[in-house]
Amino acid sequence: MRLLLATLLGWLVLAAGTAHADPLADAAAKLPEGGYSERVARIEAIAAIGDPRAIPLLEALGEGDLHVRESDGRVVIAKRAGRDYALTDPLTGESLGTAGRRDTDKIRVNNRVRGTIAEALTLLKLASPDAATRRAAADDAAKYGSPLMLERLRAALATETDAGVKTAMQSALLTAELAAGTPEERIAAIEGLSGSLDPAVRALLGQVQNDANAPENVRDAATKAIAKIESQRAWLDAALAVFQGVSLGSILLLAAIGLAITFGVMGVINMAHGEMMMLGAYSTFVVQQAFRTFLPPSVFDLYLIAAIPVAFLVAAIAGMAMERSVIRFLYNRPLETLLATWGISLILQQAVRSVFGATNQEVANPNWMSGGVEIIGGVVLTYNRLCIIAFCLIVLGLVVLVLRKTHFGLEMRAVTQNRRMARSMGIDSSRVDALTFGLGSGVAGIAGVALSQVGNVSPNLGQLYIVDSFMVVVFGGVGNLAGTFVAAMSLGILNKFLEPVAGAVLGKVVVLVLVILFIQRRPRGLFALKGRAEEA
């Protein structure tokens, strides 16, 4: 009878102890014990339990908020609350009151412990009820290749219902199998990853390729996969270079459209054309400062749109003033025009330097132009470059529309082709000259708006583009907007392909030499004017 009672009592005690056993609580209580190596082992044990209550515990440990209360040795989360700490239970979130700074000891971590915490959190978040959290955890899981990660990913994938999360988990599973699977699983994973352009996958395959302990067939498969990725990457780099070249060509085109009018159509060698772009860029800076000073922050992103007409008017008025005061006396005298406009460019630079100072002025991108869109394999197309390409095409279209479809465009073409005949038809050629020069200068001004979005604004801004602008106009064919477009894009793309090989400066020199050699064969450029336009 006594034996039976003792057995029953022991069973009840054991049952009570089992009912209250909490492996996570036990593991959390032991976190402060030992050194960093023991702490790493306990974090791995916590991750293996798979209890989601461990997430706030490990996050607090990683952020340095996990402490030990000295009075009873309890592990708590301690957050600053004035001069004291507000304490909470890391597993239940229960408030435990406050404690003085000297009443707790912080559980310290090093980089190795932080790395283990990050992997453990990824393991635990794979089972999160929130799909976005699971997706982020699956993306992070691709960085780890432990057997436990492999096991968890398989389990999570078996129950996953969200298509996007499932794809991310499948990709992470391939990475985990590559690092920790059997030779057959590793080869299958390599074949599955051979089309990936993720740099992390490329690095992982490189590790397998150089791993002397890996089976030979696994290393051979990794070598073939790397060769395939390198081939795809080469094509992708070429496509990216074309995009960057188009982007650079758009900037060159914006800088050259106005010159195609003043130099290509009117025949005026305007060395102050770059300063018109500079005036447009400084107009953008002034409009930005006005928005910051006088308008609420909610409308600040509209400053760039407001700057476009302002920059056009400022540069157009400056151009017309220059034409009426100096250039109209020097028509058909190219050398004197060149020297006079060069002098005007120096005067404008010094005037701007006196007003705004010699230092660069920063013009911020609006929020809608910040960031970019990732196409594939980490290739990002920035919004500001995409906007400049679209803006360039719009400006080119508007200029063609003005020249081809408006009464002013008809008068301008008549004056430039046969001034005497135009005058005999009642056209005021002096007014047309001034307006044409104003149009070319105004277009240069809005080119300055675009340039302010890709670099700093300084008094020397125009000098950086004047040579490129003349090169584009001459290469494309003087007076031909279609030729200007083709020349700008060609030179932009050629520059971007030469830069990785020869460097930025030497690449420009090579382009200049190629253009000079081309002009020797075709003096009138890519698209030479024909008929009466050529004779004029």
Side-chain angles (χ1 to χ4, degrees):
M1 190 63 181
R2 288 181 179 177
L3 181 60
L4 178 60
L5 290 175
T7 303
L8 288 173
L9 182 60
W11 181 82
L12 289 173
V13 171
L14 182 61
T18 304
H20 292 90
D22 188 343
L24 178 60
D26 293 342
K30 293 177 182 176
L31 267 177
E33 299 174 5
Y36 292 126
S37 297
E38 288 79 6
R39 208 153 289 160
V40 166
R42 292 194 175 100
I43 293 169
E44 290 173 345
I46 288 173
I49 294 171
D51 192 325
R53 292 180 299 157
I55 292 176
L57 170 78
L58 296 180
E59 286 178 339
L61 179 61
E63 294 167 2
D65 292 332
L66 203 64
H67 290 224
V68 177
R69 189 164 59 186
E70 285 193 350
S71 60
D72 55 1
R74 184 171 181 174
V75 174
V76 296
I77 294 177
K79 297 275 190 181
R80 284 282 179 87
R83 301 182 62 180
D84 295 328
Y85 283 124
L87 306 182
T88 55
D89 187 289
L91 301 183
T92 65
E94 175 191 358
S95 174
L96 301 175
T98 60
R101 293 187 184 182
R102 295 184 179 180
D103 296 332
T104 65
D105 283 333
K106 179 178 176 180
I107 302 177
R108 302 194 176 279
V109 296
N110 60 6
N111 288 336
R112 183 185 169 203
V113 176
R114 290 191 190 93
T116 307
I117 291 171
E119 184 175 357
L121 285 171
T122 300
L123 282 165
L124 293 168
K125 289 178 180 177
L126 282 173
S128 169
D130 179 54
T133 303
R134 295 199 304 277
R135 171 66 184 268
D139 291 338
D140 286 342
K143 297 185 294 188
Y144 309 107
S146 64
L148 183 57
M149 186 67 75
L150 184 61
E151 177 190 332
R152 287 288 175 83
L153 279 169
R154 283 174 176 158
L157 194 57
T159 58
E160 184 58 57
T161 57
D162 185 283
V165 179
K166 203 166 186 175
T167 302
M169 284 184 174
Q170 286 170 337
S171 176
L173 180 61
L174 288 175
T175 308
E177 286 178 341
L178 176 60
T182 62
E184 292 75 19
E185 289 174 339
R186 297 179 78 181
I187 291 175
I190 289 170
E191 292 174 353
L193 291 170
S194 62
S196 173
L197 294 173
D198 188 342
V201 172
R202 169 66 180 80
L204 193 55
L205 288 171
Q207 291 176 9
V208 175
Q209 183 187 27
N210 298 321
D211 184 5
N213 297 322
E216 187 175 350
N217 56 349
V218 173
R219 282 184 285 149
D220 290 343
T223 302
K224 292 178 182 175
I226 288 173
K228 185 177 178 181
I229 290 175
E230 294 294 345
S231 174
Q232 292 176 333
R233 175 59 65 180
W235 282 105
L236 197 62
D237 288 344
L240 185 59
V242 170
F243 169 73
Q244 292 175 338
V246 171
S247 168
L248 175 61
S250 300
I251 294 173
L252 294 178
L253 180 59
L254 279 172
I257 289 176
L259 195 64
I261 296 172
T262 56
F263 174 58
V265 177
M266 299 182 68
V268 175
I269 302 175
N270 181 16
M271 295 301 291
H273 180 76
E275 277 56 50
M276 298 298 110
M277 290 188 276
M278 176 197 68
L279 289 179
Y282 272 99
S283 299
T284 310
F285 170 71
V286 171
V287 172
Q288 172 194 252
Q289 296 304 100
F291 267 64
R292 275 183 177 157
T293 306
F294 301 110
L295 295 176
S298 58
V299 299
F300 176 74
D301 285 344
L302 300 177
Y303 88 88
L304 192 62
I305 297 173
I308 294 172
V310 174
F312 180 86
L313 289 175
V314 169
I317 292 171
M320 285 192 289
M322 189 165 64
E323 196 275 342
R324 288 290 85 189
S325 60
V326 177
I327 292 176
R328 67 171 175 150
F329 303 109
L330 301 173
Y331 281 128
N332 300 319
R333 294 161 65 185
L335 183 58
E336 287 88 339
T337 307
L338 186 150
L339 292 174
T341 53
W342 182 48
I344 292 171
S345 74
L346 296 178
I347 293 171
L348 287 173
Q349 285 182 41
Q350 187 55 47
V352 168
R353 196 173 283 116
S354 301
V355 174
F356 296 97
T359 56
N360 293 342
Q361 303 294 342
E362 182 263 340
V363 178
N365 290 133
N367 284 331
W368 49 272
M369 281 182 68
S370 301
V373 54
E374 184 174 349
I375 303 298
I376 185 172
V379 176
V380 178
L381 307 183
T382 56
Y383 289 137
N384 62 345
R385 296 277 177 177
L386 290 171
C387 288
I388 286 175
I389 292 172
F391 182 63
C392 162
L393 296 176
I394 292 171
V395 171
L396 180 63
L398 289 175
V399 170
V400 172
L401 196 65
V402 168
L403 296 184
R404 301 291 179 188
K405 300 295 181 184
T406 65
H407 184 69
F408 165 68
L410 184 63
E411 289 184 337
M412 191 191 80
R413 283 183 285 140
V415 170
T416 53
Q417 289 188 24
N418 194 321
R419 183 177 294 270
R420 289 184 179 179
M421 182 64 75
R423 282 178 179 170
S424 67
M425 297 297 290
I427 297 175
D428 184 351
S429 62
S430 297
R431 179 181 63 84
V432 172
D433 285 339
L435 291 176
T436 304
F437 207 89
L439 175 64
S441 300
V443 172
I446 57 178
V449 178
L451 294 178
S452 70
Q453 300 301 301
V454 294
N456 288 319
V457 176
S458 73
N460 300 322
L461 172 69
Q463 298 301 307
L464 302 175
Y465 293 93
I466 188 65
V467 174
D468 289 334
S469 301
F470 273 106
M471 194 161 58
V472 167
V473 173
V474 172
F475 180 55
V478 176
N480 192 311
L481 285 178
T484 304
F485 173 79
V486 174
M489 294 302 163
S490 303
L491 295 182
I493 293 172
L494 184 60
N495 258 305
K496 285 302 173 186
F497 275 96
L498 286 174
E499 277 180 6
V501 180
V505 176
L506 187 56
K508 278 199 168 189
V509 172
V510 171
V511 170
L512 180 60
V513 171
L514 291 175
V515 170
I516 291 173
L517 293 175
F518 179 81
I519 295 300
Q520 295 297 314
R521 300 293 299 262
R522 291 176 64 94
R524 293 190 175 88
L526 282 172
F527 296 86
L529 293 177
K530 297 178 181 177
R532 285 189 297 176
E534 181 191 7
E535 294 165 4

